[in-house]
Amino acid sequence: MTQFSNHTTEQARAGHAQPGQKPNKQQALLLLMKGIQSDLAHYRQLHQLMYEQQRSYLHFDGEQLLQLTQQQQPLIDRLQSSAAERHALLGQLGVPQNQAGMQALLNALPDKVKRPMQTYWQQLASQVQACQKLNHSNGRLSASFRELLKDVGQGQSYETDRLMT
């Protein structure tokens, strides 16, 4: 698969566009491609942290949960920032700033670039869905965890084998 340069957005802009100016279309396309690859790596990291979070809920490890939440937040912030940047880059490239615009852009690329970028985009979509599913599951566990802590705080006791039924 084609691997694009490891330039960050700022590095790519600094090397190719004047300070304060928007990148040209070729630069915007390169930034978009690199951003998708970066997001894919970040979503994989987030998924791993969310999986560990799920295990922590199941082991009633509140301290580990706190640490994992603190590790997740910078990734979530970066992914939100990257999505906003991708939205802006799609606009600069003259396509709708949505899924249909991204698909139209991918379809317009030369085959040499289109194939790997479609693969990256599909992998990214799969990772996003996997994270959403795991987040939903963790949300249910979190609610149960809080309810259990509330009940224990009120003096109720539970037998271990009854907790999992």
Side-chain angles (χ1 to χ4, degrees):
M1 242 180 237
T2 304
Q3 181 69 25
F4 297 96
S5 67
N6 287 328
H7 289 252
T8 64
T9 301
E10 294 78 21
Q11 289 170 330
R13 284 187 178 150
H16 300 287
Q18 297 296 321
Q21 287 186 340
K22 294 179 182 178
N24 65 34
K25 288 190 178 201
Q26 184 178 7
Q27 293 162 348
L29 185 58
L30 180 63
L31 291 170
L32 187 68
M33 291 175 180
K34 185 61 193 154
I36 291 169
Q37 289 177 316
S38 177
D39 283 357
L40 183 56
H42 287 123
Y43 268 105
R44 286 178 177 149
Q45 289 175 323
L46 181 61
H47 189 272
Q48 180 61 38
L49 290 171
M50 292 172 78
Y51 176 77
E52 291 173 25
Q53 183 181 36
Q54 186 177 67
R55 291 179 48 116
S56 295
Y57 278 122
L58 295 173
H59 290 105
F60 304 102
D61 188 345
E63 188 173 313
Q64 179 71 12
L65 285 168
L66 179 60
Q67 290 174 0
L68 290 166
T69 300
Q70 290 170 345
Q71 291 174 14
Q72 288 175 19
Q73 195 56 54
L75 282 172
I76 293 168
D77 293 344
R78 175 63 192 118
L79 288 165
Q80 288 175 338
S81 173
S82 182
E85 184 174 327
R86 185 168 36 255
H87 185 265
L89 289 169
L90 286 172
Q92 287 178 270
L93 291 167
V95 296
Q97 296 166 304
N98 56 28
Q99 175 64 28
M102 185 67 190
Q103 198 56 54
L105 178 65
L106 290 172
N107 289 336
L109 294 172
D111 282 342
K112 183 178 179 179
V113 177
K114 180 191 324 190
R115 287 187 189 114
M117 286 314 303
Q118 284 179 325
T119 299
Y120 288 133
W121 185 247
Q122 290 167 351
Q123 289 173 350
L124 180 59
S126 293
Q127 277 297 312
V128 169
Q129 288 177 342
C131 284
Q132 288 172 338
K133 183 178 177 180
L134 196 49
N135 187 52
H136 180 71
S137 176
N138 285 354
R140 287 191 319 263
L141 287 171
S142 176
S144 296
F145 187 74
R146 277 186 255 132
E147 188 66 28
L148 179 65
L149 290 176
K150 183 179 127 193
D151 289 349
V152 169
Q154 294 174 352
Q156 293 182 4
S157 64
Y158 293 89
E159 296 174 26
T160 306
D161 58 341
R162 289 187 56 213
L163 290 175
M164 300 311 256
T165 57

